[in-house]
mmCIF file of all heavy atoms in Angstrom:
data_model
loop_
_atom_site.group_PDB
_atom_site.id
_atom_site.type_symbol
_atom_site.label_atom_id
_atom_site.label_comp_id
_atom_site.label_asym_id
_atom_site.label_seq_id
_atom_site.Cartn_x
_atom_site.Cartn_y
_atom_site.Cartn_z
ATOM 1 N N LYS G 216 -8.556 4.113 13.727
ATOM 2 C CA LYS G 216 -9.219 2.709 13.884
ATOM 3 C C LYS G 216 -10.685 3.055 14.466
ATOM 4 O O LYS G 216 -11.677 2.310 14.176
ATOM 5 C CB LYS G 216 -8.460 1.835 14.861
ATOM 6 C CG LYS G 216 -8.390 2.300 16.328
ATOM 7 C CD LYS G 216 -8.076 1.021 17.228
ATOM 8 C CE LYS G 216 -8.114 1.534 18.608
ATOM 9 N NZ LYS G 216 -8.013 0.591 19.583
ATOM 10 N N LEU G 253 7.112 12.182 1.262
ATOM 11 C CA LEU G 253 8.141 11.225 1.230
ATOM 12 C C LEU G 253 8.828 11.045 -0.071
ATOM 13 O O LEU G 253 10.100 11.130 -0.267
ATOM 14 C CB LEU G 253 7.623 9.868 1.688
ATOM 15 C CG LEU G 253 8.519 8.767 2.015
ATOM 16 C CD1 LEU G 253 9.589 9.211 3.094
ATOM 17 C CD2 LEU G 253 7.682 7.516 2.485
ATOM 18 N N SER G 256 10.773 14.054 -0.975
ATOM 19 C CA SER G 256 12.008 14.212 -0.151
ATOM 20 C C SER G 256 13.173 13.421 -0.984
ATOM 21 O O SER G 256 14.261 13.614 -0.730
ATOM 22 C CB SER G 256 11.834 13.805 1.280
ATOM 23 O OG SER G 256 11.819 12.256 1.237
ATOM 24 N N ILE G 257 12.737 12.589 -1.810
ATOM 25 C CA ILE G 257 13.769 11.767 -2.568
ATOM 26 C C ILE G 257 13.896 12.405 -3.900
ATOM 27 O O ILE G 257 15.011 12.337 -4.480
ATOM 28 C CB ILE G 257 13.201 10.351 -2.655
ATOM 29 C CG1 ILE G 257 13.144 9.652 -1.392
ATOM 30 C CG2 ILE G 257 14.062 9.509 -3.794
ATOM 31 C CD1 ILE G 257 12.692 8.213 -1.316
ATOM 32 N N SER G 258 12.964 13.002 -4.523
ATOM 33 C CA SER G 258 13.070 13.602 -5.836
ATOM 34 C C SER G 258 12.141 14.726 -6.066
ATOM 35 O O SER G 258 11.026 14.674 -5.650
ATOM 36 C CB SER G 258 12.808 12.523 -6.909
ATOM 37 O OG SER G 258 12.491 13.080 -8.144
ATOM 38 N N HIS G 262 9.024 10.288 -10.532
ATOM 39 C CA HIS G 262 8.503 9.751 -11.854
ATOM 40 C C HIS G 262 7.043 9.420 -11.668
ATOM 41 O O HIS G 262 6.622 8.767 -10.755
ATOM 42 C CB HIS G 262 9.281 8.311 -12.029
ATOM 43 C CG HIS G 262 9.149 7.789 -13.413
ATOM 44 N ND1 HIS G 262 7.990 7.165 -13.878
ATOM 45 C CD2 HIS G 262 9.973 7.611 -14.517
ATOM 46 C CE1 HIS G 262 8.080 6.874 -15.099
ATOM 47 N NE2 HIS G 262 9.223 7.055 -15.488
ATOM 48 N N ARG G 264 4.720 7.505 -13.113
ATOM 49 C CA ARG G 264 4.296 6.098 -12.955
ATOM 50 C C ARG G 264 4.498 5.564 -11.559
ATOM 51 O O ARG G 264 3.650 4.913 -10.983
ATOM 52 C CB ARG G 264 4.956 5.214 -14.037
ATOM 53 C CG ARG G 264 4.612 3.718 -13.861
ATOM 54 C CD ARG G 264 5.415 2.838 -14.877
ATOM 55 N NE ARG G 264 5.022 1.386 -14.753
ATOM 56 C CZ ARG G 264 5.518 0.607 -13.833
ATOM 57 N NH1 ARG G 264 6.346 1.009 -12.853
ATOM 58 N NH2 ARG G 264 5.183 -0.659 -13.672
ATOM 59 N N GLU G 265 5.783 5.901 -11.135
ATOM 60 C CA GLU G 265 6.246 5.354 -9.828
ATOM 61 C C GLU G 265 5.391 6.030 -8.672
ATOM 62 O O GLU G 265 5.044 5.578 -7.593
ATOM 63 C CB GLU G 265 7.585 5.447 -9.587
ATOM 64 C CG GLU G 265 8.431 4.817 -10.508
ATOM 65 C CD GLU G 265 8.153 3.243 -10.688
ATOM 66 O OE1 GLU G 265 7.676 2.658 -9.746
ATOM 67 O OE2 GLU G 265 8.224 2.758 -11.854
ATOM 68 N N MET G 268 2.206 4.246 -8.486
ATOM 69 C CA MET G 268 2.511 2.993 -7.682
ATOM 70 C C MET G 268 2.446 3.298 -6.207
ATOM 71 O O MET G 268 1.974 2.421 -5.377
ATOM 72 C CB MET G 268 3.815 2.437 -8.193
ATOM 73 C CG MET G 268 4.305 1.151 -7.493
ATOM 74 S SD MET G 268 3.373 -0.350 -8.104
ATOM 75 C CE MET G 268 4.355 -0.942 -9.359
ATOM 76 N N LEU G 269 3.130 4.341 -5.784
ATOM 77 C CA LEU G 269 3.190 4.692 -4.403
ATOM 78 C C LEU G 269 1.807 5.085 -3.818
ATOM 79 O O LEU G 269 1.469 4.513 -2.779
ATOM 80 C CB LEU G 269 4.227 5.872 -4.278
ATOM 81 C CG LEU G 269 4.426 6.435 -2.848
ATOM 82 C CD1 LEU G 269 5.170 5.495 -1.984
ATOM 83 C CD2 LEU G 269 5.115 7.738 -2.962
ATOM 84 N N SER G 271 -1.155 4.611 -4.682
ATOM 85 C CA SER G 271 -2.297 3.687 -4.620
ATOM 86 C C SER G 271 -2.255 2.802 -3.434
ATOM 87 O O SER G 271 -3.326 2.059 -3.074
ATOM 88 C CB SER G 271 -2.425 2.868 -5.898
ATOM 89 O OG SER G 271 -1.241 2.246 -6.135
ATOM 90 N N THR G 272 -1.174 2.669 -2.635
ATOM 91 C CA THR G 272 -1.147 1.918 -1.456
ATOM 92 C C THR G 272 -1.995 2.407 -0.439
ATOM 93 O O THR G 272 -2.635 1.673 0.395
ATOM 94 C CB THR G 272 0.370 1.848 -0.905
ATOM 95 O OG1 THR G 272 0.692 3.195 -0.537
ATOM 96 C CG2 THR G 272 1.346 1.222 -1.898
ATOM 97 N N GLN G 275 -5.422 0.993 -0.517
ATOM 98 C CA GLN G 275 -5.433 -0.429 -0.309
ATOM 99 C C GLN G 275 -5.340 -0.717 1.177
ATOM 100 O O GLN G 275 -5.950 -1.675 1.653
ATOM 101 C CB GLN G 275 -4.157 -1.107 -1.056
ATOM 102 C CG GLN G 275 -4.374 -2.623 -1.087
ATOM 103 C CD GLN G 275 -3.356 -3.271 -2.105
ATOM 104 O OE1 GLN G 275 -2.970 -2.843 -3.199
ATOM 105 N NE2 GLN G 275 -2.716 -4.373 -1.698
ATOM 106 N N VAL G 276 -4.612 0.110 1.952
ATOM 107 C CA VAL G 276 -4.556 -0.032 3.362
ATOM 108 C C VAL G 276 -6.037 0.137 3.949
ATOM 109 O O VAL G 276 -6.540 -0.586 4.718
ATOM 110 C CB VAL G 276 -3.669 0.904 3.988
ATOM 111 C CG1 VAL G 276 -3.878 1.085 5.564
ATOM 112 C CG2 VAL G 276 -2.190 0.709 3.685
ATOM 113 N N ALA G 279 -8.568 -2.814 3.162
ATOM 114 C CA ALA G 279 -8.193 -3.929 4.035
ATOM 115 C C ALA G 279 -8.654 -3.755 5.516
ATOM 116 O O ALA G 279 -9.411 -4.606 6.080
ATOM 117 C CB ALA G 279 -6.698 -4.258 4.127
ATOM 118 N N LEU G 280 -8.382 -2.620 6.014
ATOM 119 C CA LEU G 280 -8.738 -2.342 7.411
ATOM 120 C C LEU G 280 -10.392 -2.270 7.723
ATOM 121 O O LEU G 280 -10.819 -2.861 8.660
ATOM 122 C CB LEU G 280 -8.190 -1.013 8.046
ATOM 123 C CG LEU G 280 -6.625 -1.127 8.135
ATOM 124 C CD1 LEU G 280 -5.938 0.208 8.475
ATOM 125 C CD2 LEU G 280 -6.197 -2.205 9.113
ATOM 126 N N SER G 282 -12.483 -3.784 5.762
ATOM 127 C CA SER G 282 -12.986 -5.095 5.670
ATOM 128 C C SER G 282 -12.700 -5.975 6.938
ATOM 129 O O SER G 282 -13.493 -6.731 7.395
ATOM 130 C CB SER G 282 -12.258 -5.787 4.398
ATOM 131 O OG SER G 282 -12.735 -7.085 4.311
ATOM 132 N N ILE G 283 -11.449 -5.833 7.466
ATOM 133 C CA ILE G 283 -11.128 -6.406 8.747
ATOM 134 C C ILE G 283 -12.202 -5.993 9.815
ATOM 135 O O ILE G 283 -12.748 -6.987 10.457
ATOM 136 C CB ILE G 283 -9.681 -6.124 9.134
ATOM 137 C CG1 ILE G 283 -8.741 -6.906 8.350
ATOM 138 C CG2 ILE G 283 -9.381 -6.476 10.689
ATOM 139 C CD1 ILE G 283 -7.273 -6.434 8.438
ATOM 140 N N ALA G 284 -12.587 -4.713 9.872
ATOM 141 C CA ALA G 284 -13.468 -4.344 10.893
ATOM 142 C C ALA G 284 -14.896 -4.827 10.631
ATOM 143 O O ALA G 284 -15.552 -5.462 11.573
ATOM 144 C CB ALA G 284 -13.604 -2.720 10.726
ATOM 145 N N ASN G 286 -15.630 -7.755 9.015
ATOM 146 C CA ASN G 286 -15.658 -9.169 9.342
ATOM 147 C C ASN G 286 -15.672 -9.375 10.828
ATOM 148 O O ASN G 286 -16.335 -10.362 11.399
ATOM 149 C CB ASN G 286 -14.436 -9.764 8.642
ATOM 150 C CG ASN G 286 -14.701 -10.173 7.295
ATOM 151 O OD1 ASN G 286 -15.388 -11.057 6.879
ATOM 152 N ND2 ASN G 286 -14.093 -9.391 6.307
ATOM 153 N N GLU G 287 -14.915 -8.489 11.584
ATOM 154 C CA GLU G 287 -14.865 -8.506 13.006
ATOM 155 C C GLU G 287 -16.332 -8.447 13.547
ATOM 156 O O GLU G 287 -16.625 -9.044 14.608
ATOM 157 C CB GLU G 287 -14.030 -7.484 13.596
ATOM 158 C CG GLU G 287 -13.981 -7.319 15.108
ATOM 159 C CD GLU G 287 -13.330 -8.328 15.805
ATOM 160 O OE1 GLU G 287 -12.500 -9.223 15.174
ATOM 161 O OE2 GLU G 287 -13.369 -8.568 17.054
ATOM 162 N N LYS G 293 -15.525 -8.129 1.497
ATOM 163 C CA LYS G 293 -14.318 -8.501 0.890
ATOM 164 C C LYS G 293 -13.813 -7.288 0.170
ATOM 165 O O LYS G 293 -14.670 -6.496 -0.416
ATOM 166 C CB LYS G 293 -14.702 -9.738 -0.188
ATOM 167 C CG LYS G 293 -13.510 -10.500 -0.544
ATOM 168 C CD LYS G 293 -14.224 -11.851 -1.321
ATOM 169 C CE LYS G 293 -13.186 -12.518 -2.063
ATOM 170 N NZ LYS G 293 -13.694 -13.558 -2.841
ATOM 171 N N SER G 294 -12.538 -7.009 0.230
ATOM 172 C CA SER G 294 -12.009 -5.777 -0.378
ATOM 173 C C SER G 294 -11.384 -6.139 -1.732
ATOM 174 O O SER G 294 -10.788 -7.172 -2.065
ATOM 175 C CB SER G 294 -10.964 -5.237 0.574
ATOM 176 O OG SER G 294 -9.781 -6.001 0.516
ATOM 177 N N PHE G 295 -11.353 -5.104 -2.572
ATOM 178 C CA PHE G 295 -10.803 -5.231 -3.943
ATOM 179 C C PHE G 295 -10.050 -3.923 -4.309
ATOM 180 O O PHE G 295 -10.478 -2.758 -4.043
ATOM 181 C CB PHE G 295 -11.952 -5.489 -4.958
ATOM 182 C CG PHE G 295 -12.560 -6.733 -4.753
ATOM 183 C CD1 PHE G 295 -13.740 -6.927 -4.060
ATOM 184 C CD2 PHE G 295 -12.039 -7.895 -5.412
ATOM 185 C CE1 PHE G 295 -14.383 -8.129 -3.772
ATOM 186 C CE2 PHE G 295 -12.712 -9.116 -5.161
ATOM 187 C CZ PHE G 295 -13.763 -9.225 -4.443
ATOM 188 N N PHE G 298 -6.861 -3.435 -9.761
ATOM 189 C CA PHE G 298 -6.385 -4.574 -10.505
ATOM 190 C C PHE G 298 -7.484 -5.681 -10.493
ATOM 191 O O PHE G 298 -7.844 -6.197 -11.557
ATOM 192 C CB PHE G 298 -5.163 -5.237 -9.849
ATOM 193 C CG PHE G 298 -3.965 -5.004 -10.656
ATOM 194 C CD1 PHE G 298 -2.937 -4.219 -10.214
ATOM 195 C CD2 PHE G 298 -3.805 -5.629 -11.998
ATOM 196 C CE1 PHE G 298 -1.810 -4.124 -10.942
ATOM 197 C CE2 PHE G 298 -2.657 -5.399 -12.690
ATOM 198 C CZ PHE G 298 -1.581 -4.591 -12.154
ATOM 199 N N GLN G 299 -8.072 -5.896 -9.322
ATOM 200 C CA GLN G 299 -8.904 -7.047 -9.136
ATOM 201 C C GLN G 299 -10.277 -6.667 -9.784
ATOM 202 O O GLN G 299 -10.983 -7.742 -10.186
ATOM 203 C CB GLN G 299 -9.112 -7.305 -7.678
ATOM 204 C CG GLN G 299 -7.780 -7.856 -7.064
ATOM 205 C CD GLN G 299 -7.727 -7.885 -5.550
ATOM 206 O OE1 GLN G 299 -8.307 -6.975 -4.923
ATOM 207 N NE2 GLN G 299 -7.116 -9.008 -5.000
ATOM 208 N N GLY G 343 -1.405 -2.809 -17.731
ATOM 209 C CA GLY G 343 -1.289 -3.239 -16.289
ATOM 210 C C GLY G 343 -0.455 -2.318 -15.386
ATOM 211 O O GLY G 343 0.022 -2.734 -14.314
ATOM 212 N N LEU G 345 -0.277 0.822 -12.892
ATOM 213 C CA LEU G 345 -1.182 1.429 -11.990
ATOM 214 C C LEU G 345 -1.325 2.994 -12.116
ATOM 215 O O LEU G 345 -0.299 3.527 -12.551
ATOM 216 C CB LEU G 345 -0.730 1.228 -10.463
ATOM 217 C CG LEU G 345 -0.809 -0.138 -9.964
ATOM 218 C CD1 LEU G 345 -0.291 -0.234 -8.520
ATOM 219 C CD2 LEU G 345 -2.336 -0.637 -9.865
ATOM 220 N N LYS S 77 14.580 7.585 3.845
ATOM 221 C CA LYS S 77 14.907 8.122 2.513
ATOM 222 C C LYS S 77 16.493 8.097 2.287
ATOM 223 O O LYS S 77 16.947 7.798 1.116
ATOM 224 C CB LYS S 77 14.337 9.569 2.229
ATOM 225 C CG LYS S 77 14.964 10.671 3.027
ATOM 226 C CD LYS S 77 14.757 12.066 2.477
ATOM 227 C CE LYS S 77 15.614 12.970 3.416
ATOM 228 N NZ LYS S 77 15.625 14.386 2.872
ATOM 229 N N LEU S 114 -1.934 -2.186 13.698
ATOM 230 C CA LEU S 114 -3.066 -1.477 13.260
ATOM 231 C C LEU S 114 -4.293 -2.448 13.103
ATOM 232 O O LEU S 114 -5.394 -2.276 13.620
ATOM 233 C CB LEU S 114 -2.836 -0.718 12.062
ATOM 234 C CG LEU S 114 -3.836 0.445 11.641
ATOM 235 C CD1 LEU S 114 -4.065 1.298 12.627
ATOM 236 C CD2 LEU S 114 -3.141 1.047 10.378
ATOM 237 N N SER S 117 -5.432 -3.876 16.332
ATOM 238 C CA SER S 117 -6.249 -2.902 17.104
ATOM 239 C C SER S 117 -7.756 -2.923 16.700
ATOM 240 O O SER S 117 -8.502 -2.480 17.362
ATOM 241 C CB SER S 117 -5.551 -1.614 17.067
ATOM 242 O OG SER S 117 -6.013 -0.994 15.850
ATOM 243 N N ILE S 118 -7.993 -3.417 15.561
ATOM 244 C CA ILE S 118 -9.345 -3.397 15.086
ATOM 245 C C ILE S 118 -9.941 -4.877 15.254
ATOM 246 O O ILE S 118 -11.091 -4.949 15.606
ATOM 247 C CB ILE S 118 -9.422 -3.130 13.514
ATOM 248 C CG1 ILE S 118 -9.081 -1.612 13.311
ATOM 249 C CG2 ILE S 118 -10.838 -3.417 12.929
ATOM 250 C CD1 ILE S 118 -8.886 -1.091 12.026
ATOM 251 N N SER S 119 -9.162 -5.945 15.170
ATOM 252 C CA SER S 119 -9.748 -7.243 15.300
ATOM 253 C C SER S 119 -8.542 -8.106 15.956
ATOM 254 O O SER S 119 -7.462 -8.133 15.460
ATOM 255 C CB SER S 119 -10.129 -7.811 13.960
ATOM 256 O OG SER S 119 -10.259 -9.188 14.028
ATOM 257 N N HIS S 123 -9.181 -10.995 9.333
ATOM 258 C CA HIS S 123 -9.479 -11.938 8.273
ATOM 259 C C HIS S 123 -8.139 -12.060 7.418
ATOM 260 O O HIS S 123 -7.551 -11.056 7.016
ATOM 261 C CB HIS S 123 -10.574 -11.329 7.449
ATOM 262 C CG HIS S 123 -11.143 -12.245 6.392
ATOM 263 N ND1 HIS S 123 -10.376 -12.755 5.384
ATOM 264 C CD2 HIS S 123 -12.365 -12.943 6.360
ATOM 265 C CE1 HIS S 123 -11.196 -13.623 4.654
ATOM 266 N NE2 HIS S 123 -12.341 -13.653 5.290
ATOM 267 N N ARG S 125 -7.310 -13.113 4.409
ATOM 268 C CA ARG S 125 -7.270 -12.443 3.056
ATOM 269 C C ARG S 125 -7.066 -11.049 3.142
ATOM 270 O O ARG S 125 -6.173 -10.458 2.361
ATOM 271 C CB ARG S 125 -8.600 -12.789 2.305
ATOM 272 C CG ARG S 125 -8.520 -12.141 0.893
ATOM 273 C CD ARG S 125 -10.015 -12.295 0.205
ATOM 274 N NE ARG S 125 -9.921 -11.663 -1.080
ATOM 275 C CZ ARG S 125 -10.205 -10.401 -1.383
ATOM 276 N NH1 ARG S 125 -10.402 -9.520 -0.339
ATOM 277 N NH2 ARG S 125 -10.199 -9.983 -2.556
ATOM 278 N N GLU S 126 -7.797 -10.388 4.072
ATOM 279 C CA GLU S 126 -7.592 -8.869 4.162
ATOM 280 C C GLU S 126 -6.364 -8.467 4.803
ATOM 281 O O GLU S 126 -5.801 -7.433 4.519
ATOM 282 C CB GLU S 126 -8.750 -8.427 4.999
ATOM 283 C CG GLU S 126 -10.203 -8.726 4.519
ATOM 284 C CD GLU S 126 -10.537 -8.257 3.007
ATOM 285 O OE1 GLU S 126 -9.810 -7.300 2.531
ATOM 286 O OE2 GLU S 126 -11.155 -8.935 2.315
ATOM 287 N N MET S 129 -3.972 -8.359 1.920
ATOM 288 C CA MET S 129 -4.321 -7.117 1.150
ATOM 289 C C MET S 129 -3.584 -5.944 1.924
ATOM 290 O O MET S 129 -3.061 -5.077 1.233
ATOM 291 C CB MET S 129 -5.792 -6.908 1.243
ATOM 292 C CG MET S 129 -6.311 -5.659 0.428
ATOM 293 S SD MET S 129 -6.112 -5.780 -1.357
ATOM 294 C CE MET S 129 -7.736 -6.318 -1.833
ATOM 295 N N LEU S 130 -3.665 -5.927 3.155
ATOM 296 C CA LEU S 130 -3.115 -4.869 3.976
ATOM 297 C C LEU S 130 -1.621 -4.902 3.997
ATOM 298 O O LEU S 130 -0.954 -3.967 3.552
ATOM 299 C CB LEU S 130 -3.529 -5.035 5.393
ATOM 300 C CG LEU S 130 -2.961 -3.949 6.379
ATOM 301 C CD1 LEU S 130 -3.478 -2.631 6.180
ATOM 302 C CD2 LEU S 130 -3.302 -4.359 7.873
ATOM 303 N N SER S 132 0.606 -6.333 1.973
ATOM 304 C CA SER S 132 1.355 -6.307 0.690
ATOM 305 C C SER S 132 1.564 -4.744 0.266
ATOM 306 O O SER S 132 2.386 -4.395 -0.561
ATOM 307 C CB SER S 132 0.609 -7.011 -0.367
ATOM 308 O OG SER S 132 -0.720 -6.464 -0.533
ATOM 309 N N THR S 133 0.891 -3.783 0.912
ATOM 310 C CA THR S 133 1.064 -2.422 0.729
ATOM 311 C C THR S 133 2.526 -1.994 0.995
ATOM 312 O O THR S 133 3.016 -1.194 0.298
ATOM 313 C CB THR S 133 0.089 -1.517 1.318
ATOM 314 O OG1 THR S 133 0.146 -1.585 2.782
ATOM 315 C CG2 THR S 133 -1.375 -1.780 0.901
ATOM 316 N N GLN S 136 4.961 -2.395 -1.720
ATOM 317 C CA GLN S 136 4.636 -1.482 -2.878
ATOM 318 C C GLN S 136 5.082 -0.091 -2.564
ATOM 319 O O GLN S 136 5.601 0.518 -3.569
ATOM 320 C CB GLN S 136 3.061 -1.472 -3.094
ATOM 321 C CG GLN S 136 2.763 -0.900 -4.466
ATOM 322 C CD GLN S 136 1.337 -1.191 -4.866
ATOM 323 O OE1 GLN S 136 0.795 -2.307 -4.720
ATOM 324 N NE2 GLN S 136 0.678 -0.240 -5.422
ATOM 325 N N VAL S 137 5.063 0.343 -1.328
ATOM 326 C CA VAL S 137 5.679 1.742 -1.052
ATOM 327 C C VAL S 137 7.196 1.664 -1.274
ATOM 328 O O VAL S 137 7.741 2.553 -1.996
ATOM 329 C CB VAL S 137 5.373 1.960 0.397
ATOM 330 C CG1 VAL S 137 6.304 3.204 0.809
ATOM 331 C CG2 VAL S 137 3.798 2.278 0.529
ATOM 332 N N ALA S 140 8.173 1.557 -5.158
ATOM 333 C CA ALA S 140 7.853 2.877 -5.742
ATOM 334 C C ALA S 140 8.958 3.938 -5.370
ATOM 335 O O ALA S 140 9.504 4.612 -6.201
ATOM 336 C CB ALA S 140 6.492 3.509 -5.445
ATOM 337 N N LEU S 141 9.329 3.985 -4.114
ATOM 338 C CA LEU S 141 10.258 4.904 -3.646
ATOM 339 C C LEU S 141 11.796 4.677 -4.232
ATOM 340 O O LEU S 141 12.397 5.500 -4.543
ATOM 341 C CB LEU S 141 10.311 4.996 -2.120
ATOM 342 C CG LEU S 141 9.097 5.619 -1.436
ATOM 343 C CD1 LEU S 141 9.224 5.509 0.106
ATOM 344 C CD2 LEU S 141 8.856 7.142 -1.935
ATOM 345 N N SER S 143 12.392 3.109 -6.873
ATOM 346 C CA SER S 143 12.290 3.462 -8.345
ATOM 347 C C SER S 143 12.470 4.920 -8.555
ATOM 348 O O SER S 143 13.132 5.398 -9.475
ATOM 349 C CB SER S 143 11.015 2.909 -9.048
ATOM 350 O OG SER S 143 11.098 3.072 -10.365
ATOM 351 N N ILE S 144 11.756 5.713 -7.591
ATOM 352 C CA ILE S 144 11.734 7.230 -7.774
ATOM 353 C C ILE S 144 13.180 7.655 -7.568
ATOM 354 O O ILE S 144 13.782 8.482 -8.252
ATOM 355 C CB ILE S 144 10.838 7.810 -6.782
ATOM 356 C CG1 ILE S 144 9.391 7.715 -7.376
ATOM 357 C CG2 ILE S 144 11.109 9.282 -6.460
ATOM 358 C CD1 ILE S 144 8.210 8.031 -6.227
ATOM 359 N N ALA S 145 13.840 7.064 -6.509
ATOM 360 C CA ALA S 145 15.300 7.409 -6.234
ATOM 361 C C ALA S 145 16.127 7.052 -7.464
ATOM 362 O O ALA S 145 17.059 7.888 -7.853
ATOM 363 C CB ALA S 145 15.743 6.703 -5.040
ATOM 364 N N ASN S 147 15.437 6.668 -10.657
ATOM 365 C CA ASN S 147 15.077 7.543 -11.807
ATOM 366 C C ASN S 147 15.776 8.951 -11.470
ATOM 367 O O ASN S 147 16.246 9.632 -12.419
ATOM 368 C CB ASN S 147 13.607 7.663 -12.093
ATOM 369 C CG ASN S 147 13.213 6.502 -12.878
ATOM 370 O OD1 ASN S 147 13.428 6.301 -14.043
ATOM 371 N ND2 ASN S 147 12.459 5.588 -12.240
ATOM 372 N N GLU S 148 15.598 9.482 -10.238
ATOM 373 C CA GLU S 148 16.310 10.626 -9.986
ATOM 374 C C GLU S 148 17.727 10.691 -10.150
ATOM 375 O O GLU S 148 18.362 11.685 -10.541
ATOM 376 C CB GLU S 148 15.964 11.013 -8.356
ATOM 377 C CG GLU S 148 16.666 12.098 -7.872
ATOM 378 C CD GLU S 148 16.028 13.405 -8.247
ATOM 379 O OE1 GLU S 148 15.019 13.425 -8.875
ATOM 380 O OE2 GLU S 148 16.703 14.561 -8.071
ATOM 381 N N LYS S 154 12.117 0.629 -13.277
ATOM 382 C CA LYS S 154 10.644 0.503 -13.258
ATOM 383 C C LYS S 154 10.225 -0.587 -12.149
ATOM 384 O O LYS S 154 10.832 -1.613 -12.020
ATOM 385 C CB LYS S 154 10.219 -0.041 -14.594
ATOM 386 C CG LYS S 154 8.827 0.341 -15.077
ATOM 387 C CD LYS S 154 8.694 0.005 -16.676
ATOM 388 C CE LYS S 154 7.240 -0.011 -16.978
ATOM 389 N NZ LYS S 154 6.970 -0.389 -18.421
ATOM 390 N N SER S 155 9.210 -0.223 -11.486
ATOM 391 C CA SER S 155 8.768 -1.206 -10.257
ATOM 392 C C SER S 155 7.529 -2.036 -10.694
ATOM 393 O O SER S 155 6.711 -1.575 -11.502
ATOM 394 C CB SER S 155 8.542 -0.219 -9.027
ATOM 395 O OG SER S 155 7.273 0.349 -9.249
ATOM 396 N N PHE S 156 7.520 -3.203 -10.147
ATOM 397 C CA PHE S 156 6.374 -4.049 -10.307
ATOM 398 C C PHE S 156 5.915 -4.714 -9.033
ATOM 399 O O PHE S 156 6.768 -5.236 -8.264
ATOM 400 C CB PHE S 156 6.876 -5.117 -11.197
ATOM 401 C CG PHE S 156 7.144 -4.603 -12.572
ATOM 402 C CD1 PHE S 156 8.366 -4.287 -12.903
ATOM 403 C CD2 PHE S 156 6.118 -4.525 -13.635
ATOM 404 C CE1 PHE S 156 8.770 -3.710 -14.258
ATOM 405 C CE2 PHE S 156 6.465 -4.008 -14.934
ATOM 406 C CZ PHE S 156 7.696 -3.546 -15.141
ATOM 407 N N PHE S 159 1.003 -8.604 -8.781
ATOM 408 C CA PHE S 159 -0.014 -8.725 -9.776
ATOM 409 C C PHE S 159 0.711 -8.572 -11.237
ATOM 410 O O PHE S 159 0.372 -9.376 -12.140
ATOM 411 C CB PHE S 159 -0.977 -7.607 -9.753
ATOM 412 C CG PHE S 159 -2.365 -8.040 -9.164
ATOM 413 C CD1 PHE S 159 -2.837 -7.541 -8.019
ATOM 414 C CD2 PHE S 159 -3.077 -8.854 -10.073
ATOM 415 C CE1 PHE S 159 -4.111 -8.072 -7.581
ATOM 416 C CE2 PHE S 159 -4.343 -9.267 -9.648
ATOM 417 C CZ PHE S 159 -4.787 -8.844 -8.439
ATOM 418 N N GLN S 160 1.624 -7.538 -11.293
ATOM 419 C CA GLN S 160 2.049 -7.177 -12.601
ATOM 420 C C GLN S 160 3.008 -8.288 -13.126
ATOM 421 O O GLN S 160 3.217 -8.462 -14.249
ATOM 422 C CB GLN S 160 2.701 -5.840 -12.422
ATOM 423 C CG GLN S 160 1.692 -4.811 -12.173
ATOM 424 C CD GLN S 160 2.373 -3.354 -11.947
ATOM 425 O OE1 GLN S 160 3.258 -3.298 -11.136
ATOM 426 N NE2 GLN S 160 1.666 -2.304 -12.306
ATOM 427 N N GLY S 204 -6.845 -14.326 -8.359
ATOM 428 C CA GLY S 204 -6.588 -12.891 -8.362
ATOM 429 C C GLY S 204 -6.509 -12.301 -6.928
ATOM 430 O O GLY S 204 -6.595 -11.114 -6.697
ATOM 431 N N ASP S 205 -6.600 -13.164 -5.842
ATOM 432 C CA ASP S 205 -6.467 -12.535 -4.476
ATOM 433 C C ASP S 205 -5.069 -12.495 -4.092
ATOM 434 O O ASP S 205 -4.097 -13.185 -4.476
ATOM 435 C CB ASP S 205 -7.152 -13.566 -3.508
ATOM 436 C CG ASP S 205 -8.648 -13.581 -3.718
ATOM 437 O OD1 ASP S 205 -9.250 -12.585 -3.885
ATOM 438 O OD2 ASP S 205 -9.195 -14.689 -3.694
ATOM 439 N N LEU S 206 -4.793 -11.363 -3.383
ATOM 440 C CA LEU S 206 -3.502 -11.057 -2.841
ATOM 441 C C LEU S 206 -2.986 -12.041 -1.737
ATOM 442 O O LEU S 206 -3.810 -12.270 -0.919
ATOM 443 C CB LEU S 206 -3.233 -9.615 -2.398
ATOM 444 C CG LEU S 206 -3.240 -8.684 -3.561
ATOM 445 C CD1 LEU S 206 -3.188 -7.154 -3.001
ATOM 446 C CD2 LEU S 206 -2.177 -8.779 -4.568
#
Side-chain angles (χ1 to χ4, degrees):
Chain G
K216 69 160 185 170
L253 193 52
S256 76
I257 291 174
S258 168
H262 193 291
R264 176 186 183 277
E265 304 304 331
M268 179 69 97
L269 178 69
S271 56
T272 60
Q275 192 168 320
V276 168
L280 291 175
S282 183
I283 286 169
N286 279 286
E287 174 72 14
K293 208 167 163 185
S294 72
F295 294 91
F298 251 113
Q299 292 169 323
L345 290 177
Chain S
K77 69 160 185 172
L114 193 52
S117 77
I118 292 174
S119 168
H123 193 290
R125 176 186 183 275
E126 304 304 331
M129 179 70 97
L130 178 69
S132 56
T133 59
Q136 192 168 320
V137 168
L141 291 175
S143 184
I144 286 169
N147 280 286
E148 175 73 14
K154 208 166 161 185
S155 73
F156 294 92
F159 252 115
Q160 293 169 322
D205 291 315
L206 289 177

